[in-house]
Amino acid sequence: MSTQELFAILPLLLLSAGIVILLLQVSFWRGHRSALATTLITLLLAAGSCFWVGATLSGGVSSVQATGLLLVDHTALFFCLLLLLTATAVSIMGYSYLRLRCNPERNPGSYPEEFYILLLLAMLGTTTLVCASHFATFFLGLELISLALYPMLGFAVTGDLSPAREQAQSLESAIKYLLLSALSTALGLFGIALVYSAGGALDFSGIAALMPELAQTSALFATGITLFLISVAFKLSLVPFHIWTPDVYQGAPTPTTALIATVSKGAVIGFLLRFFNTLDLYGSPVLINLLSIAAIASMLVGNLLALMQTNIKRLLAYSSIAHIGYLVVAFIIGKSTFGTEAVIYYLVAYIITTLGAFAVVGLVADSVEDRILKGEYPESPPSDADNPYHRDFYRGLLWRSPWLASCLAAMLLSLAGIPLTIGFIGKFYIFTAGVEGQLWVLLAAVVIGSALGLFYYLRLLLTMVQRDPTLTAESTGSVQIAVSGQWLLVVLTAILLLFGIFPQLLINWINAL
Amino acid sequence: MTLMAIIILLFAGGILAWLSERYLQRGGHWIGLVSLLLASLLLASYWPYLGAAQVIGSGPWWDSVQINWIPRFGISFHLAIDGLGFLMLALTMAMGIFGLVMTWNDIHFRRGFFYFNYLWTLAGVVGVFTAMDLFLFFFFWEVMLVPMLFLIAVWGYEQRLFAAIKFFIFTQASSLLMLIAIVALAYLHYGNSGQLTFNYNDLLDAQLAPSTAYWLMLGFFVAFIVKLPALPFHPWLPDAHTQAPTAGSILLAAILLKTGAYGLLRFNLPLFPESSAAFAPVAMSIGAVSVIYGAMLAFAQSDMKRLVAYSSVSHMGFVLLGLYALNTIAMQGAVMQMIAHGLSTAALFALVGALQHRLHTRDMTQLGGVWAILPKLSAIALFFAVASLGLPGLGNFVAEFTVLVGSFRSSHWIAVLAATGLIGAALYALIMMQRGFFGALNKRLQKLSPQAPIADLNLRESCALLSLAALLVLLGLRPQPVFDIASPTVARSLAHIETARAQYAKDQGIGTRFTSQEQTWAKPHPKESESP
């Protein structure tokens, strides 16, 4: 392995080093804040190194093949950067979550530092995944993410001060994800094996060389790729592989939910872009038909089921199913003028918005938890209006905590695709891509899905602005959230508006890839 | 730059009003009023163009500003104003000030946020009336919706949430179709010319296959007639109007409905001339049916606000009819109807609002004989009711008459059908007066009145309403200035249609019949100036 190759995978190396340092640090000197600090430094250093590596790539060589397993190019680095920054936000959310619930002073059996180690491990998985150029690294990356996610999903169970009901739900979500994820991995592995038996190669460029003969004749190859795609669709929670999503999203600790909704999906999308581009699978009618059907089903089912939810986390879960459906519409047209660009822009919009929405939900729940621990608030909510995950809790929030509610309102408008927000530009990109590919049926599904989506986003939004005669303005009090959380929300909202009003900034970056 | 200054002024005014109410607990309505007056003053700086509409400088635009916005898609921040735009902006400002003055003390809950939404809606509308980039147009089209949604949902009456969501979903879903049509239009133009742009002036020259153009036209058409609203897409309107606070109803009726009509005239007809011409009979029928259907439903209402709302459907039907009659008289009449309907309906909503504020009901079964206790209000209501039914001498009459005259040339039967709507208008307007204001005082009101004497219109409200009445009389007696200001825009829209028709006729080899007709259209019609 040459120096250049080692340098190219600098973000991965930094992450690995960070994990080792954190492990050592925790074994000698326990401390929640110091663990957070190490995590943030690692993530930001890795993110910064993406720029550094990117700068060296621009001169002549556009990509570096590090061993047979990893290929580092600008797109991969962009995804690394995006995901690492997302993880930074998640770790801040995690701090706010764990500070109350996993407090070693109150409960000696709790180890909040584990969360950060697992988070870094998952990030190592995602960065590996977006740089993968070989089925082995794909598998490695995917399993790293999954294995780190299982304990993170069940994090509320050990040494936690959360109510028993939340612990049970957290355990449920971890086990559901474990079983279904293992099943999908098995399918994916079987698919990979079939592809190997058909072509005799596992690296993507090797398969791409064999494509002309394989694509035409080999049923084995087609079956393999389809199975492989199914395992990926599971990670993306495309309908009909979405059944796990609402339960897992609802039960998991909110920072983990945000992680699974943004980082794990973003990494898979990044990988798929490279996989389809290298193998040029956009020409395969079977795969495109499969994806189209899954996209239409995701948009319709996701939005229809979201209509019936009163739990905010479940609602966001279904809405994320629908949003991945929109994204696949742009994905289908592939390597054309707007295809890849649209996918990346929409993904950025989706990540920022979803992260923001979950951050609000998580921080609101944290503030309630804080009051529960202080004994000011009943542990099991007597009514829906006292359950921080229920829609009724948000009634009149705009009058109680205007800034917090404004942030959530911006996120909801962005999810609904209303101008001035990044979500609108994302939707515009989807339409452009769809028109370019002349996918009229899919576009019709996007329109129907968006109209359905409006209903539940608006209902939540209007719940927040309702003037409630029973609530006198200050009696129930505003929702007090942690300062770090406030900063996180302000930054996310600012980015959302910035890229919504001046999208050219982001477009320039994406075009430079 | 003046156009941009107007928009920025309104946006900034909204934020300032919010902050001032939040931190000083007062001053919101003054800030609103001052920013509206300043904006009107800026608009008045276009006064010199009014006389010499056609002679000045570069092309049809009086003034324009263009700044690169999203070069990747060839999208620019492009605003421009011409005669039609000026009329619409003047209506917007006037109605904005009117709504603010009429509801000066009505809002008690979160006043700052109310004025914020009020001004942002107006800013969005100004953007819609001046945007010359289709993307920007769509952008403002949506920007004006969200604050309107809040106006209905927060300050509305009993069923406000339902009404707000219904309003939003109708307009948003239809406007997504328009977005697809816009993108497809730009993309097809890109395919033909190699230049990706959303600029209106460039897209006017887009070469489209007839069948494609027809579909794209429908995408725009649906979005615009939902807003108008015309028959199959009107159900959002009665609910939104009834549940909205008075100021919100005024904005909706006087200005937001006009954005649909404006869109048809500015975008739909010139961008897709062939398909619009082919579609005209259908659109005219929709217009005529809306006229009658709106009148019938208005007649059947017992809620006075709903009655006025349905009368809007009826009146806007005339606009649709006039625009698709595709000749100068009818289109001029449609523009006139946009303005006259804006004035008269805004006044009627304001009156119903004032009535409800005083008597706490707008149900006509609980009203009756109001003239005895509120003589000024009732007299003014009578004036606007007869204006709405089209009394000669007032603006609405000129508008409806010219629309009917113009559309009679295009299609006799549809015009005859629509004309029967005038009878309906007389019926619902008079029944409203009869049940609400004349006759013996309702028993419920008799109990109410001795305890606390009900205040009639005060000076502020009387002045606002009387100035609208004066404007309507002025438009009725001297409509020619409005026709003159709007004529270049109308002529340009029509020119596109006629070129398209001539082209079509040439292709079909039946040129003679069409060209002869075309000449009659091209002739100036002396009648239009002397209609009252």
Side-chain angles (χ1 to χ4, degrees):
Chain A
M1 224 176 160
S2 70
T3 336
Q4 198 206 7
E5 289 177 25
L6 273 178
F7 178 69
I9 56 169
L10 188 61
L12 279 73
L13 295 178
L14 280 173
L15 272 177
S16 314
I19 294 168
V20 174
I21 292 172
L22 188 57
L23 277 170
L24 288 172
Q25 177 192 335
V26 169
S27 47
F28 288 111
W29 182 39
R30 299 250 333 259
H32 189 184
R33 275 166 192 268
S34 54
L36 173 72
T38 314
T39 313
L40 286 179
I41 291 170
T42 310
L43 288 173
L44 290 176
L45 274 182
S49 70
C50 290
F51 284 106
W52 194 15
V53 176
T56 57
L57 277 183
S58 54
V61 271
S62 66
S63 64
V64 175
Q65 179 80 45
T67 70
L69 299 175
L70 296 166
L71 177 78
V72 180
D73 58 8
H74 276 120
T75 315
L77 286 172
F78 179 83
F79 274 106
C80 283
L81 181 66
L82 177 68
L83 298 174
L84 288 168
L85 291 179
T86 314
T88 315
V90 171
S91 59
I92 295 173
M93 285 167 65
Y95 175 72
S96 163
Y97 176 87
L98 296 167
R99 188 174 54 99
L100 304 163
R101 295 179 176 82
C102 266
N103 190 346
E105 288 163 16
R106 279 169 159 268
N107 182 354
S110 57
Y111 302 97
E113 300 88 345
E114 284 172 356
F115 184 86
Y116 302 102
I117 299 173
L118 292 169
L119 175 69
L120 286 180
L121 272 172
M123 289 318 297
L124 184 62
T126 56
T127 42
T128 313
L129 190 58
V130 293
C131 294
S133 68
H134 191 284
F135 274 124
T137 21
F138 159 77
F139 185 68
L140 194 68
L142 204 63
E143 280 305 280
L144 252 181
I145 302 175
S146 303
L147 287 173
L149 275 176
Y150 304 144
M152 283 177 92
L153 288 170
F155 208 81
V157 179
T158 51
D160 196 318
L161 298 169
S162 331
R165 193 158 153 274
E166 271 184 39
Q167 298 202 9
Q169 283 183 343
S170 176
L171 187 62
E172 178 197 339
S173 88
I175 289 184
K176 274 194 178 155
Y177 192 69
L178 171 71
L179 290 177
L180 290 173
S181 172
L183 176 68
S184 87
T185 310
L187 283 178
L189 270 182
F190 186 49
I192 293 173
L194 290 181
V195 170
Y196 183 65
S197 71
L202 278 178
D203 58 318
F204 298 161
S205 49
I207 301 173
L210 298 169
M211 273 304 282
E213 42 181 315
L214 281 178
Q216 299 302 321
T217 55
S218 173
L220 212 54
F221 177 77
T223 320
I225 289 285
T226 310
L227 279 173
F228 174 74
L229 211 61
I230 286 174
S231 95
V232 169
F234 170 84
K235 295 285 174 197
L236 289 178
S237 60
L238 282 174
V239 174
F241 310 105
H242 69 287
I243 313 281
W244 58 278
T245 317
D247 289 342
V248 170
Y249 276 33
Q250 183 190 6
T254 314
T256 315
T257 314
L259 189 74
I260 205 170
T262 55
V263 169
S264 114
K265 288 188 181 175
V268 171
I269 292 284
F271 166 78
L272 267 191
L273 272 179
R274 162 173 291 178
F275 186 68
F276 269 60
N277 271 331
T278 319
L279 268 64
D280 201 17
L281 291 173
Y282 297 115
S284 153
V286 181
L287 288 185
I288 295 303
N289 283 344
L290 276 179
L291 279 177
S292 306
I293 293 168
I296 293 176
S298 299
M299 289 184 264
L300 297 182
V301 171
N303 279 318
L304 278 174
L305 291 179
L307 288 177
M308 304 170 192
Q309 306 306 322
T310 52
N311 182 303
I312 306 280
K313 277 166 92 176
R314 283 185 91 84
L315 186 147
L316 287 173
Y318 282 112
S319 112
S320 90
I321 294 175
H323 279 276
I324 296 295
Y326 301 144
L327 199 146
V328 171
V329 174
F331 185 82
I332 285 170
I333 71 158
K335 258 197 286 191
S336 49
T337 326
F338 293 114
T340 311
E341 207 179 311
V343 172
I344 298 179
Y345 202 103
Y346 200 84
L347 187 67
V348 174
Y350 166 79
I351 286 184
I352 292 176
T353 316
T354 311
L355 200 59
F358 277 118
V360 173
V361 175
L363 291 166
V364 166
D366 288 344
S367 81
V368 172
E369 181 72 20
D370 190 23
R371 289 170 60 198
I372 293 178
L373 291 177
K374 281 183 192 153
E376 297 169 355
Y377 207 81
E379 186 161 315
S380 55
S383 73
D384 287 342
D386 298 315
N387 180 354
Y389 297 113
H390 196 279
R391 196 177 65 218
D392 287 348
F393 183 84
Y394 288 79
R395 184 180 297 271
L397 188 71
L398 188 68
W399 317 125
R400 288 184 279 148
S401 333
W403 291 106
L404 181 67
S406 308
C407 288
L408 182 55
M411 301 301 163
L412 288 175
L413 289 175
S414 176
L415 283 171
I418 307 294
L420 290 177
T421 61
I422 190 171
F424 169 65
I425 307 288
K427 196 149 274 175
F428 178 69
Y429 252 118
I430 299 286
F431 280 127
T432 315
V435 167
E436 190 191 1
Q438 314 221 325
L439 310 166
W440 304 117
V441 180
L442 283 167
L443 280 181
V446 174
V447 171
I448 295 171
S450 302
L452 289 171
L454 269 182
F455 185 75
Y456 57 85
Y457 296 130
L458 282 186
R459 194 166 51 181
L460 182 54
L461 185 67
L462 295 184
T463 309
M464 289 201 303
V465 302
Q466 245 173 57
R467 41 175 223 237
D468 203 328
T470 58
L471 292 176
T472 48
E474 260 60 55
S475 70
T476 43
S478 57
V479 177
Q480 294 296 332
I481 60 171
V483 180
S484 58
Q486 287 173 4
W487 277 105
L488 177 66
L489 286 181
V490 168
V491 169
L492 282 174
T493 313
I495 296 175
L496 178 119
L497 293 177
L498 179 73
F499 288 150
I501 301 173
F502 303 106
Q504 189 65 32
L505 299 170
L506 186 54
I507 296 175
N508 285 341
W509 287 347
I510 296 175
N511 268 334
L513 297 178
Chain B
M1 289 314 275
T2 318
L3 291 173
M4 215 158 131
I6 294 178
I7 292 178
I8 291 173
L9 192 66
L10 291 175
F11 276 131
I15 293 172
L16 269 183
W18 191 0
L19 293 178
S20 129
E21 286 283 345
R22 185 163 172 74
Y23 294 107
L24 305 175
Q25 275 79 43
R26 62 199 148 92
H29 35 227
W30 285 109
I31 292 177
L33 187 62
V34 168
S35 43
L36 274 172
L37 285 174
L38 281 178
S40 318
L41 215 62
L42 284 175
L43 186 65
S45 69
Y46 289 112
W47 195 259
Y49 293 92
L50 287 183
Q54 281 147 311
V55 260
I56 286 163
S58 55
W61 309 110
W62 296 359
D63 183 22
S64 68
V65 50
Q66 190 166 12
I67 303 164
N68 259 355
W69 184 21
I70 313 177
R72 175 73 183 93
F73 291 103
I75 293 169
S76 56
F77 189 85
H78 185 185
L79 303 177
I81 186 173
D82 66 352
L84 180 67
F86 178 82
L87 285 178
M88 290 295 115
L89 287 189
L91 180 72
T92 308
M93 292 302 152
M95 290 302 106
I97 295 172
F98 174 74
L100 196 65
V101 170
M102 275 309 288
T103 59
W104 194 250
N105 292 323
D106 284 7
I107 302 297
H108 302 295
F109 180 78
R110 305 282 165 175
R111 217 161 37 192
F113 192 49
F114 178 85
Y115 291 116
F116 169 79
N117 284 314
Y118 191 80
L119 289 177
W120 274 50
T121 310
L122 286 172
V125 174
V126 171
V128 165
F129 286 142
T130 50
M132 283 305 136
D133 182 284
L134 288 184
F135 182 87
L136 187 67
F137 172 75
F138 184 81
F139 180 86
F140 280 122
W141 182 264
E142 300 273 290
V143 165
M144 73 182 177
L145 284 186
V146 179
M148 193 66 224
L149 171 81
F150 283 128
L151 283 184
I152 299 175
V154 180
W155 292 275
Y157 296 106
E158 315 77 38
Q159 298 281 316
R160 54 181 180 270
L161 280 194
F162 169 73
I165 292 184
K166 193 170 173 183
F167 158 73
F168 202 82
I169 289 183
F170 261 85
T171 34
Q172 174 74 19
S174 63
S175 66
L176 282 179
L177 293 179
M178 177 167 75
L179 181 60
I180 292 181
I182 289 176
V183 172
L185 176 65
Y187 190 75
L188 289 172
H189 183 249
Y190 172 60
N192 293 337
S193 67
Q195 181 204 11
L196 185 58
T197 179
F198 284 79
N199 191 329
Y200 171 70
N201 297 319
D202 293 339
L203 289 176
L204 281 178
D205 308 327
Q207 304 292 323
L208 302 171
S211 60
T212 327
Y214 201 82
W215 282 105
L216 297 185
M217 187 274 297
L218 280 181
F220 279 82
F221 185 76
V222 167
F224 292 142
I225 68 165
V226 165
K227 211 42 172 280
L228 199 57
L231 189 52
F233 302 109
H234 70 282
W236 64 269
L237 178 113
D239 287 316
H241 268 313
T242 317
Q243 302 305 328
T246 306
S249 297
I250 293 174
L251 282 195
L252 259 181
I255 309 171
L256 261 71
L257 302 192
K258 306 305 176 296
T259 56
Y262 169 85
L264 287 175
L265 180 54
R266 171 79 81 207
F267 294 105
N268 221 0
L269 296 180
L271 283 174
F272 312 106
E274 300 95 339
S275 26
S276 293
F279 191 65
V282 183
M284 283 176 76
S285 316
I286 295 178
V289 175
S290 294
V291 169
I292 294 171
Y293 182 78
M296 277 165 62
L297 281 192
F299 180 70
Q301 302 305 316
S302 67
D303 183 333
M304 206 184 263
K305 219 170 171 185
R306 259 185 123 74
L307 187 152
V308 182
Y310 275 111
S311 82
S312 283
V313 177
S314 176
H315 286 143
M316 295 310 282
F318 277 109
V319 175
L320 186 61
L321 179 69
L323 289 179
Y324 274 87
L326 301 180
N327 59 50
T328 317
I329 292 195
M331 284 162 91
Q332 293 272 33
V335 174
M336 182 56 116
Q337 173 78 337
M338 282 154 78
I339 296 169
H341 168 259
L343 298 177
S344 65
T345 309
L348 280 175
F349 274 121
L351 284 165
V352 178
L355 200 63
Q356 179 164 30
H357 197 70
R358 287 166 172 77
L359 304 178
H360 308 290
T361 182
R362 47 171 202 267
D363 188 344
M364 286 190 291
T365 54
Q366 302 198 14
L367 293 170
V370 173
W371 199 299
I373 45 176
L374 297 170
K376 282 193 214 165
L377 190 149
S378 311
I380 294 181
L382 178 63
F383 176 85
F384 284 108
V386 295
S388 163
L389 72 80
L391 187 77
L394 299 175
N396 303 57
F397 169 75
V398 180
E400 281 164 20
F401 184 76
T402 37
V403 165
L404 287 175
V405 168
S407 46
F408 190 74
R409 290 162 174 277
S410 303
S411 165
H412 302 320
W413 288 111
I414 295 178
V416 168
L417 195 66
T420 57
L422 286 177
I423 303 169
L427 276 175
Y428 67 70
L430 294 179
I431 200 88
M432 179 181 87
M433 288 313 295
Q434 171 64 31
R435 293 170 71 183
F437 297 95
F438 297 143
L441 190 60
N442 191 303
K443 285 204 182 72
R444 205 187 68 88
L445 297 179
Q446 274 169 348
K447 270 182 264 164
L448 199 79
S449 45
Q451 294 150 13
I454 297 154
D456 206 344
L457 291 182
N458 59 27
L459 189 65
R460 165 176 58 80
E461 290 164 323
S462 313
C463 286
L465 286 166
L466 285 177
S467 48
L468 286 201
L471 270 177
L472 273 181
V473 174
L474 194 71
L475 284 179
L477 296 180
R478 190 149 168 67
Q480 192 56 37
V482 171
F483 290 140
D484 285 346
I485 297 173
S487 74
T489 316
V490 169
R492 239 161 9 101
S493 288
L494 215 52
H496 280 278
I497 301 269
E498 279 167 12
T499 339
R501 278 197 200 223
Q503 185 64 37
Y504 179 77
K506 210 191 291 170
D507 292 348
Q508 298 292 311
I510 45 169
T512 45
R513 193 160 66 86
F514 272 90
T515 33
S516 64
Q517 251 182 16
E518 193 189 319
Q519 275 161 3
T520 45
W521 287 327
K523 264 185 217 157
H525 294 291
K527 233 182 185 176
E528 76 194 32
S529 56
E530 58 195 27
S531 33

